[in-house]
Coordinates of all heavy atoms in Angstrom, one line a residue:
E19 N 110.0 90.3 108.1 CA 110.7 91.6 108.2 C 109.7 92.6 108.8 O 109.9 93.8 108.8 CB 111.2 92.1 106.9 CG 112.4 91.4 106.4 CD 113.1 92.2 105.3 OE1 113.3 93.3 105.6 OE2 113.5 91.5 104.4
D20 N 108.6 92.1 109.4 CA 107.6 93.0 110.0 C 108.2 94.1 111.0 O 109.0 93.7 111.9 CB 106.5 92.2 110.7 CG 105.4 93.1 111.2 OD1 105.2 94.1 110.5 OD2 104.8 92.7 112.1
G21 N 108.0 95.3 110.7 CA 108.5 96.3 111.5 C 109.9 96.9 111.2 O 110.3 97.7 111.9
K22 N 110.5 96.3 110.3 CA 111.9 96.7 110.0 C 112.0 97.7 108.9 O 113.1 98.2 108.6 CB 112.7 95.5 109.6 CG 112.9 94.5 110.7 CD 113.7 93.4 110.4 CE 113.9 92.5 111.6 NZ 113.8 91.1 111.2
R23 N 110.8 98.1 108.3 CA 110.9 99.2 107.3 C 109.7 100.1 107.6 O 108.6 99.8 108.1 CB 110.6 98.5 105.9 CG 111.8 97.7 105.5 CD 111.8 97.3 104.2 NE 113.1 96.5 103.9 CZ 113.4 95.9 102.8 NH1 112.5 95.9 101.8 NH2 114.5 95.4 102.6
F24 N 110.0 101.4 107.3 CA 109.0 102.5 107.6 C 109.0 103.4 106.3 O 110.0 103.8 105.8 CB 109.6 103.3 108.8 CG 108.7 104.5 109.1 CD1 107.5 104.4 109.7 CD2 109.2 105.8 108.7 CE1 106.8 105.5 110.0 CE2 108.4 106.9 109.0 CZ 107.2 106.8 109.7
A25 N 107.7 103.6 105.9 CA 107.5 104.4 104.7 C 106.8 105.7 105.1 O 105.9 105.7 105.9 CB 106.6 103.7 103.7
Y26 N 107.3 106.8 104.5 CA 106.6 108.1 104.6 C 106.7 108.9 103.4 O 107.6 108.6 102.5 CB 107.2 108.8 105.9 CG 108.6 109.4 105.6 CD1 108.7 110.8 105.1 CD2 109.8 108.7 105.8 CE1 110.0 111.3 104.9 CE2 111.0 109.2 105.6 CZ 111.1 110.5 105.1 OH 112.3 111.1 104.9
S27 N 105.9 109.9 103.3 CA 105.9 110.8 102.2 C 105.9 112.2 102.7 O 105.1 112.6 103.6 CB 104.7 110.5 101.3 OG 104.7 111.4 100.2
S28 N 106.8 113.0 102.2 CA 106.8 114.5 102.5 C 105.8 115.2 101.6 O 105.4 114.7 100.6 CB 108.2 115.0 102.5 OG 108.7 114.9 101.1
Y29 N 105.5 116.4 102.1 CA 104.6 117.2 101.3 C 105.2 118.5 100.9 O 106.1 119.0 101.6 CB 103.2 117.5 102.0 CG 102.3 116.3 102.1 CD1 102.4 115.4 103.1 CD2 101.4 116.1 101.1 CE1 101.6 114.3 103.2 CE2 100.6 114.9 101.1 CZ 100.7 114.1 102.2 OH 99.9 113.0 102.2
G30 N 104.8 119.0 99.8 CA 105.4 120.3 99.3 C 105.4 120.2 97.8 O 105.0 119.3 97.1
K31 N 106.0 121.3 97.2 CA 106.2 121.4 95.8 C 106.8 120.2 95.2 O 106.4 119.6 94.2 CB 106.9 122.7 95.4 CG 106.8 123.0 93.9 CD 107.4 124.4 93.6 CE 107.4 124.6 92.2 NZ 107.9 125.9 91.9
N32 N 108.0 119.8 95.7 CA 108.7 118.6 95.3 C 108.8 117.7 96.5 O 109.5 118.0 97.4 CB 110.1 118.9 94.8 CG 110.1 119.7 93.5 OD1 109.4 119.4 92.6 ND2 110.9 120.7 93.4
S33 N 108.0 116.7 96.5 CA 107.9 115.8 97.7 C 108.5 114.4 97.4 O 108.4 114.0 96.2 CB 106.5 115.7 98.2 OG 105.6 115.3 97.2
D34 N 108.9 113.8 98.4 CA 109.5 112.4 98.2 C 108.8 111.4 99.0 O 108.2 111.6 100.0 CB 111.0 112.4 98.7 CG 111.9 113.3 97.9 OD1 111.7 113.3 96.7 OD2 112.8 113.9 98.5
L35 N 108.7 110.2 98.4 CA 108.3 109.0 99.1 C 109.6 108.3 99.5 O 110.4 108.0 98.7 CB 107.4 108.1 98.2 CG 107.1 106.8 98.7 CD1 106.2 106.9 99.9 CD2 106.5 105.9 97.6
V36 N 109.7 108.0 100.8 CA 111.0 107.4 101.2 C 110.6 106.1 102.1 O 109.6 106.1 102.9 CB 111.7 108.3 102.1 CG1 113.0 107.8 102.7 CG2 112.1 109.7 101.4
V37 N 111.4 105.1 101.9 CA 111.3 103.9 102.7 C 112.6 103.8 103.5 O 113.7 103.8 102.9 CB 111.0 102.6 102.0 CG1 111.0 101.4 102.9 CG2 109.7 102.7 101.2
L38 N 112.5 103.7 104.8 CA 113.8 103.6 105.6 C 113.9 102.2 106.3 O 112.8 101.6 106.6 CB 113.7 104.6 106.8 CG 113.6 106.0 106.4 CD1 113.3 106.9 107.6 CD2 114.8 106.5 105.7
D39 N 115.1 101.7 106.5 CA 115.4 100.5 107.3 C 115.4 101.0 108.8 O 116.2 101.8 109.2 CB 116.7 100.0 106.9 CG 117.1 98.8 107.7 OD1 116.6 98.5 108.8 OD2 117.7 97.9 107.1
T40 N 114.5 100.5 109.6 CA 114.3 101.0 111.0 C 115.5 100.5 111.9 O 115.7 101.0 113.0 CB 113.0 100.6 111.6 OG1 112.9 99.2 111.6 CG2 111.8 101.2 110.9
R41 N 116.3 99.6 111.4 CA 117.4 99.1 112.2 C 118.5 100.1 112.3 O 119.2 100.3 113.3 CB 117.9 97.8 111.7 CG 116.8 96.6 111.9 CD 117.2 95.4 111.2 NE 117.1 95.7 109.7 CZ 117.2 94.8 108.8 NH1 117.3 93.5 109.2 NH2 117.0 95.0 107.6
N42 N 118.7 100.9 111.1 CA 119.8 101.9 111.1 C 119.3 103.3 110.6 O 120.0 104.2 110.4 CB 120.9 101.4 110.2 CG 120.5 101.0 108.9 OD1 119.4 101.4 108.3 ND2 121.3 100.1 108.2
W43 N 118.0 103.3 110.3 CA 117.4 104.6 109.7 C 118.0 105.0 108.4 O 117.9 106.2 108.1 CB 117.3 105.6 110.7 CG 116.4 105.2 111.9 CD1 116.8 104.7 113.1 CD2 115.0 105.0 111.9 NE1 115.8 104.3 113.8 CE2 114.6 104.5 113.1 CE3 114.0 105.2 111.0 CZ2 113.3 104.2 113.5 CZ3 112.7 105.0 111.3 CH2 112.4 104.5 112.6
K44 N 118.5 104.1 107.6 CA 119.1 104.5 106.3 C 118.0 104.3 105.2 O 117.1 103.4 105.3 CB 120.3 103.6 105.9 CG 121.5 103.9 106.8 CD 122.7 103.2 106.3 CE 123.9 103.6 107.2 NZ 125.1 102.9 106.8
S45 N 118.1 105.2 104.2 CA 117.1 105.1 103.1 C 117.3 103.9 102.3 O 118.4 103.7 101.8 CB 117.2 106.4 102.3 OG 116.3 106.4 101.3
L46 N 116.2 103.2 102.0 CA 116.3 101.9 101.1 C 115.7 102.3 99.8 O 116.1 101.6 98.8 CB 115.5 100.8 101.8 CG 116.0 100.3 103.1 CD1 115.0 99.3 103.6 CD2 117.4 99.7 103.0
F47 N 114.8 103.3 99.7 CA 114.1 103.5 98.5 C 113.6 105.0 98.6 O 113.2 105.5 99.6 CB 112.9 102.6 98.4 CG 112.0 102.9 97.2 CD1 112.3 102.4 96.0 CD2 110.8 103.7 97.4 CE1 111.4 102.6 94.9 CE2 110.0 103.9 96.4 CZ 110.3 103.4 95.1
Q48 N 113.7 105.7 97.4 CA 113.2 107.1 97.4 C 112.6 107.3 95.9 O 113.2 106.9 95.0 CB 114.3 108.0 97.6 CG 113.9 109.5 97.7 CD 115.0 110.3 98.3 OE1 115.9 109.9 98.9 NE2 114.8 111.6 98.1
R49 N 111.5 107.9 95.9 CA 110.8 108.2 94.7 C 110.2 109.6 94.8 O 109.5 110.0 95.7 CB 109.6 107.2 94.5 CG 108.7 107.6 93.4 CD 109.0 106.8 92.1 NE 107.9 106.8 91.2 CZ 107.5 107.7 90.4 NH1 108.1 109.0 90.4 NH2 106.5 107.6 89.6
N50 N 110.6 110.5 93.8 CA 110.2 111.9 93.9 C 108.8 111.9 93.2 O 108.6 111.4 92.1 CB 111.2 112.8 93.1 CG 110.8 114.2 93.2 OD1 110.1 114.7 92.4 ND2 111.2 114.8 94.3
L51 N 107.9 112.5 93.9 CA 106.5 112.8 93.4 C 106.1 114.1 93.7 O 106.4 114.6 94.8 CB 105.5 111.7 94.0 CG 105.8 110.3 93.7 CD1 105.0 109.5 94.7 CD2 105.4 110.0 92.3
T52 N 105.4 114.8 92.9 CA 104.8 116.1 93.2 C 103.6 115.8 94.1 O 103.0 114.7 94.0 CB 104.4 116.9 92.0 OG1 103.4 116.2 91.4 CG2 105.6 117.1 91.1
Q53 N 103.2 116.7 94.9 CA 102.0 116.5 95.8 C 100.7 116.2 95.0 O 99.9 115.5 95.4 CB 101.8 117.8 96.6 CG 100.7 117.6 97.7 CD 100.7 118.8 98.6 OE1 101.5 119.7 98.5 NE2 99.7 118.8 99.5
A54 N 100.7 116.8 93.8 CA 99.6 116.6 92.9 C 99.5 115.2 92.3 O 98.4 114.7 92.0 CB 99.6 117.7 91.8
D55 N 100.6 114.5 92.2 CA 100.7 113.2 91.6 C 100.2 112.1 92.6 O 99.5 111.2 92.2 CB 102.1 112.8 91.3 CG 102.6 113.5 90.1 OD1 101.9 114.1 89.3 OD2 103.9 113.6 90.0
R56 N 100.5 112.2 93.8 CA 100.3 111.1 94.8 C 99.0 111.2 95.5 O 98.5 112.2 95.9 CB 101.5 111.2 95.8 CG 101.4 110.3 97.0 CD 102.4 110.7 98.1 NE 102.2 112.0 98.6 CZ 102.9 113.0 98.4 NH1 104.0 112.9 97.7 NH2 102.6 114.2 98.9
S57 N 98.4 110.0 95.7 CA 97.1 109.9 96.5 C 97.3 108.9 97.6 O 96.4 108.9 98.5 CB 96.0 109.6 95.6 OG 96.1 108.3 95.1
G58 N 98.2 108.0 97.6 CA 98.3 107.1 98.7 C 99.5 106.1 98.6 O 100.1 106.1 97.5
L59 N 99.7 105.4 99.6 CA 100.8 104.4 99.6 C 100.5 103.3 100.5 O 99.7 103.5 101.5 CB 102.2 105.0 99.9 CG 102.4 105.6 101.3 CD1 103.0 104.5 102.2 CD2 103.3 106.7 101.2
C60 N 101.0 102.1 100.2 CA 100.7 100.9 101.0 C 102.0 100.1 101.1 O 102.4 99.6 100.0 CB 99.5 100.1 100.5 SG 99.2 98.7 101.4
L61 N 102.6 99.9 102.2 CA 103.7 99.0 102.4 C 103.3 97.6 102.6 O 102.4 97.4 103.5 CB 104.6 99.5 103.5 CG 106.0 98.9 103.7 CD1 106.9 99.1 102.6 CD2 106.6 99.5 105.0
S62 N 103.8 96.6 102.0 CA 103.4 95.2 102.1 C 103.7 94.8 103.6 O 104.7 95.3 104.2 CB 104.1 94.3 101.1 OG 105.5 94.3 101.3
P63 N 103.0 93.9 104.1 CA 103.3 93.3 105.5 C 104.7 92.8 105.7 O 105.3 93.0 106.7 CB 102.3 92.3 105.7 CG 101.2 92.6 104.8 CD 101.8 93.2 103.6
D64 N 105.3 92.2 104.6 CA 106.6 91.7 104.8 C 107.7 92.8 104.5 O 108.9 92.6 104.6 CB 106.9 90.6 103.9 CG 106.8 90.8 102.4 OD1 106.6 92.0 102.0 OD2 106.8 89.8 101.7
G65 N 107.3 94.1 104.1 CA 108.2 95.1 103.8 C 109.0 95.0 102.5 O 109.9 95.8 102.3
K66 N 108.6 94.1 101.6 CA 109.4 93.9 100.4 C 108.9 94.7 99.3 O 109.6 94.8 98.3 CB 109.5 92.4 100.1 CG 110.2 91.6 101.1 CD 110.3 90.1 100.8 CE 110.9 89.3 101.9 NZ 110.9 87.9 101.6
S67 N 107.7 95.1 99.3 CA 107.2 95.9 98.2 C 106.3 97.0 98.7 O 105.9 97.1 99.8 CB 106.4 95.0 97.2 OG 105.3 94.5 97.8
I68 N 106.0 98.0 97.8 CA 105.2 99.1 98.1 C 104.3 99.4 96.9 O 104.7 99.3 95.8 CB 106.0 100.3 98.5 CG1 105.1 101.4 99.1 CG2 106.8 100.9 97.4 CD1 105.9 102.5 99.9
L69 N 103.1 99.8 97.2 CA 102.1 100.3 96.2 C 102.0 101.7 96.3 O 101.8 102.2 97.4 CB 100.7 99.7 96.3 CG 100.7 98.1 96.2 CD1 99.2 97.7 96.5 CD2 101.0 97.7 94.8
I70 N 102.1 102.5 95.2 CA 102.0 103.9 95.2 C 100.7 104.3 94.4 O 100.7 104.0 93.2 CB 103.3 104.6 94.7 CG1 104.5 104.2 95.5 CG2 103.1 106.2 94.7 CD1 105.8 104.6 94.7
G71 N 99.8 104.9 95.0 CA 98.6 105.3 94.3 C 98.7 106.7 93.8 O 99.2 107.6 94.5
L72 N 98.5 106.9 92.5 CA 98.6 108.2 91.9 C 97.2 108.8 91.5 O 96.3 108.0 91.3 CB 99.4 108.1 90.6 CG 100.9 107.5 90.9 CD1 101.6 107.3 89.5 CD2 101.7 108.4 91.8
K73 N 97.1 110.1 91.5 CA 95.8 110.7 91.3 C 95.3 110.5 89.9 O 94.1 110.7 89.6 CB 95.9 112.1 91.7 CG 96.0 112.3 93.2 CD 95.9 113.8 93.5 CE 96.0 113.9 95.1 NZ 96.0 115.2 95.5
D74 N 96.1 110.1 88.9 CA 95.6 109.8 87.6 C 95.0 108.3 87.4 O 94.9 107.9 86.3 CB 96.7 110.1 86.5 CG 97.8 109.2 86.6 OD1 97.9 108.3 87.4 OD2 98.8 109.3 85.8
T75 N 94.8 107.7 88.6 CA 94.3 106.3 88.7 C 95.3 105.2 88.4 O 95.0 104.1 88.4 CB 93.1 106.0 87.8 OG1 93.4 105.9 86.4 CG2 92.0 107.1 87.9
R76 N 96.6 105.6 88.3 CA 97.6 104.5 88.2 C 98.1 104.1 89.6 O 98.0 104.9 90.5 CB 98.8 105.1 87.5 CG 98.6 105.2 86.0 CD 99.9 105.7 85.3 NE 100.2 107.1 85.8 CZ 101.4 107.5 86.1 NH1 102.5 106.7 86.0 NH2 101.6 108.7 86.5
I77 N 98.4 102.8 89.7 CA 99.0 102.2 90.9 C 100.4 101.7 90.5 O 100.4 100.8 89.6 CB 98.1 101.2 91.5 CG1 96.8 101.8 91.9 CG2 98.8 100.5 92.7 CD1 95.7 100.8 92.3
E78 N 101.5 102.1 91.1 CA 102.7 101.6 90.8 C 103.1 100.5 91.9 O 102.9 100.8 93.1 CB 103.8 102.7 90.8 CG 103.6 103.7 89.7 CD 104.7 104.8 89.8 OE1 105.4 104.9 90.8 OE2 104.7 105.6 88.8
H79 N 103.6 99.4 91.4 CA 104.1 98.3 92.3 C 105.6 98.3 92.3 O 106.1 98.0 91.2 CB 103.4 97.1 91.9 CG 103.7 95.9 92.9 ND1 103.4 94.6 92.6 CD2 104.3 95.9 94.1 CE1 103.7 93.8 93.5 NE2 104.3 94.5 94.4
W80 N 106.3 98.5 93.4 CA 107.8 98.5 93.4 C 108.3 97.4 94.3 O 107.8 97.1 95.4 CB 108.2 99.8 94.0 CG 108.0 101.0 93.1 CD1 106.9 101.7 92.8 CD2 109.0 101.6 92.2 NE1 107.1 102.7 91.9 CE2 108.4 102.6 91.5 CE3 110.3 101.3 91.9 CZ2 109.1 103.4 90.6 CZ3 111.0 102.1 91.0 CH2 110.4 103.1 90.3
D81 N 109.3 96.8 93.8 CA 110.1 95.8 94.6 C 111.1 96.6 95.4 O 112.0 97.3 94.8 CB 110.7 94.8 93.7 CG 111.6 93.8 94.4 OD1 112.4 94.2 95.4 OD2 111.6 92.7 94.0
L82 N 111.1 96.7 96.7 CA 112.0 97.5 97.5 C 113.4 96.9 97.6 O 114.4 97.6 97.8 CB 111.4 97.8 98.8 CG 110.1 98.6 98.8 CD1 109.5 98.7 100.2 CD2 110.4 99.9 98.2
N83 N 113.5 95.6 97.6 CA 114.8 95.0 97.7 C 115.7 95.3 96.5 O 116.9 95.5 96.6 CB 114.7 93.4 97.9 CG 114.1 93.1 99.2 OD1 114.4 93.8 100.2 ND2 113.4 92.0 99.3
Q84 N 115.1 95.4 95.3 CA 115.8 95.6 94.1 C 115.6 97.0 93.6 O 116.2 97.4 92.6 CB 115.3 94.7 93.0 CG 115.7 93.2 93.4 CD 115.3 92.2 92.3 OE1 115.0 92.6 91.1 NE2 115.3 90.9 92.6
A85 N 114.8 97.9 94.3 CA 114.5 99.2 93.8 C 114.1 99.3 92.4 O 114.6 100.1 91.6 CB 115.7 100.1 94.2
R86 N 113.2 98.4 92.0 CA 112.7 98.4 90.6 C 111.2 98.3 90.6 O 110.6 97.7 91.5 CB 113.3 97.3 89.8 CG 112.9 95.9 90.1 CD 113.4 94.8 89.2 NE 112.8 93.6 89.6 CZ 111.7 93.1 89.1 NH1 111.1 93.7 88.2 NH2 111.3 91.9 89.5
Q87 N 110.6 99.0 89.6 CA 109.2 98.9 89.4 C 108.8 97.6 88.8 O 109.3 97.2 87.8 CB 108.7 100.1 88.6 CG 107.3 100.2 88.5 CD 106.8 101.5 87.8 OE1 107.6 102.4 87.5 NE2 105.5 101.6 87.6
I88 N 107.8 96.9 89.4 CA 107.3 95.6 89.0 C 106.3 95.8 87.9 O 106.3 95.2 86.8 CB 106.8 94.8 90.1 CG1 107.9 94.5 91.1 CG2 106.2 93.5 89.6 CD1 107.5 93.9 92.4
R89 N 105.3 96.7 88.2 CA 104.3 97.0 87.2 C 103.5 98.2 87.5 O 103.6 98.8 88.6 CB 103.3 95.8 87.1 CG 102.3 95.8 88.3 CD 101.3 94.6 88.1 NE 101.8 93.3 88.0 CZ 101.9 92.5 89.0 NH1 101.4 92.9 90.2 NH2 102.4 91.3 88.9
T90 N 102.8 98.7 86.5 CA 101.9 99.8 86.7 C 100.5 99.4 86.3 O 100.4 98.7 85.2 CB 102.3 101.1 85.9 OG1 103.6 101.5 86.3 CG2 101.3 102.2 86.1
S91 N 99.5 99.6 87.1 CA 98.1 99.2 86.7 C 97.3 100.4 86.9 O 97.6 101.5 87.5 CB 97.6 98.2 87.8 OG 98.4 97.1 87.8
R92 N 96.1 100.4 86.2 CA 95.1 101.4 86.3 C 94.0 100.9 87.2 O 93.6 99.8 87.2 CB 94.5 101.8 84.9 CG 95.5 102.5 84.2 CD 94.8 103.8 83.7 NE 95.7 104.6 82.9 CZ 96.2 105.8 83.3 NH1 95.8 106.3 84.4 NH2 97.0 106.4 82.5
F93 N 93.5 101.8 88.1 CA 92.4 101.5 88.9 C 91.2 102.3 88.5 O 91.2 103.5 88.5 CB 92.8 101.9 90.4 CG 91.8 101.6 91.4 CD1 91.6 100.2 91.8 CD2 91.0 102.5 92.0 CE1 90.6 99.9 92.7 CE2 90.1 102.2 93.0 CZ 89.9 100.9 93.3
E94 N 90.2 101.6 88.0 CA 89.0 102.2 87.4 C 87.7 102.3 88.2 O 86.7 102.6 87.7 CB 88.7 101.5 86.1 CG 89.9 101.5 85.1 CD 90.2 103.0 84.6 OE1 89.4 103.8 84.6 OE2 91.4 103.1 84.1
A95 N 87.9 102.1 89.5 CA 86.7 102.1 90.4 C 86.6 103.5 91.1 O 87.6 104.1 91.3 CB 86.7 101.0 91.4
S96 N 85.5 103.8 91.5 CA 85.3 105.1 92.2 C 85.8 104.8 93.7 O 85.8 103.6 94.1 CB 83.9 105.6 92.2 OG 83.1 104.8 93.0
E97 N 86.0 105.9 94.4 CA 86.4 105.7 95.8 C 85.4 104.9 96.7 O 85.7 104.1 97.5 CB 86.7 107.1 96.4 CG 87.3 107.0 97.8 CD 87.6 108.4 98.3 OE1 88.0 109.3 97.5 OE2 87.4 108.6 99.5
K98 N 84.1 105.1 96.3 CA 83.1 104.4 97.0 C 83.1 102.9 96.8 O 82.6 102.1 97.7 CB 81.7 105.0 96.7 CG 81.5 106.4 97.2 CD 80.2 106.9 96.8 CE 80.0 108.4 97.3 NZ 78.7 109.0 96.9
E99 N 83.6 102.5 95.7 CA 83.6 101.1 95.3 C 84.8 100.4 95.9 O 84.8 99.1 95.9 CB 83.6 100.9 93.8 CG 82.4 101.4 93.0 CD 82.5 101.4 91.6 OE1 83.4 102.1 91.1 OE2 81.7 100.7 91.0
F100 N 85.8 101.1 96.3 CA 87.0 100.5 96.8 C 86.9 100.0 98.2 O 86.6 100.8 99.1 CB 88.2 101.5 96.6 CG 89.5 100.9 96.9 CD1 90.1 100.0 96.1 CD2 90.2 101.3 98.0 CE1 91.3 99.5 96.3 CE2 91.4 100.8 98.4 CZ 92.0 99.9 97.5
E101 N 87.3 98.8 98.5 CA 87.3 98.3 99.9 C 88.6 97.6 100.1 O 89.1 96.8 99.2 CB 86.2 97.4 100.2 CG 84.8 98.1 100.1 CD 83.8 97.1 100.5 OE1 84.0 96.1 101.1 OE2 82.6 97.3 100.1
W102 N 89.3 97.8 101.2 CA 90.4 97.0 101.6 C 90.0 95.7 102.2 O 89.1 95.6 103.0 CB 91.3 97.7 102.6 CG 92.0 98.9 102.0 CD1 91.7 100.2 102.0 CD2 93.2 98.8 101.3 NE1 92.6 100.9 101.4 CE2 93.6 100.2 100.9 CE3 94.1 97.8 100.9 CZ2 94.7 100.5 100.2 CZ3 95.2 98.1 100.1 CH2 95.5 99.4 99.8
N103 N 90.6 94.6 101.8 CA 90.3 93.3 102.4 C 91.7 92.7 102.9 O 92.4 92.2 102.1 CB 89.7 92.4 101.4 CG 89.2 91.1 101.9 OD1 89.4 90.9 103.2 ND2 88.9 90.1 101.1
I104 N 91.9 92.9 104.1 CA 93.2 92.4 104.6 C 92.9 91.2 105.5 O 92.2 91.2 106.5 CB 94.0 93.5 105.4 CG1 94.2 94.7 104.6 CG2 95.2 93.0 106.1 CD1 94.7 95.9 105.3
E105 N 93.5 90.1 105.1 CA 93.3 88.8 105.9 C 94.6 88.4 106.5 O 95.6 88.5 106.0 CB 92.7 87.7 105.1 CG 91.3 88.2 104.5 CD 90.7 87.2 103.6 OE1 91.2 86.0 103.5 OE2 89.7 87.5 103.0

């Protein structure tokens, strides 16, 4: 499904994280987050899941096909220790 989903996050007092189907631009997933909560997002290469990084060190993993949260994890490393490894 590469390229068939697009994720973006709006900024403001009440901001949303939205995933759209690029074939018809309809919303597939929406999560309300305040700007203070969110620190990053990562859409999986196949477009089936998304990771949402929160400023309190939590990472939420969501299944986009079922619009359900799979798990929440804590990330305990400093920013300097964190490296992406994409193969």
Side-chain angles (χ1 to χ4, degrees):
E19 289 199 42
D20 187 26
K22 294 184 179 135
R23 294 189 176 175
F24 176 77
Y26 74 91
S27 182
S28 61
Y29 285 92
K31 188 174 182 180
N32 293 315
S33 56
D34 292 323
L35 169 67
V36 179
V37 178
L38 301 173
D39 183 330
T40 60
R41 294 169 290 192
N42 56 23
W43 297 104
K44 291 187 179 180
S45 177
L46 298 172
F47 175 83
Q48 188 167 341
R49 169 94 161 79
N50 184 269
L51 295 166
T52 65
Q53 187 174 356
D55 290 339
R56 176 190 59 248
S57 67
L59 63 94
C60 181
L61 187 62
S62 67
D64 64 7
K66 294 180 181 178
S67 64
I68 193 166
L69 297 176
I70 304 169
L72 304 173
K73 289 187 178 177
D74 67 358
T75 74
R76 286 181 296 137
I77 299 172
E78 295 179 349
H79 184 190
W80 287 82
D81 179 318
L82 296 175
N83 291 330
Q84 297 181 15
R86 70 176 183 89
Q87 189 172 349
I88 297 170
R89 79 174 59 96
T90 299
S91 304
R92 286 237 178 243
F93 184 70
E94 298 297 335
S96 72
E97 188 175 322
K98 291 180 181 178
E99 296 173 298
F100 184 72
E101 293 182 25
W102 287 99
N103 184 9
I104 302 172
E105 297 178 15

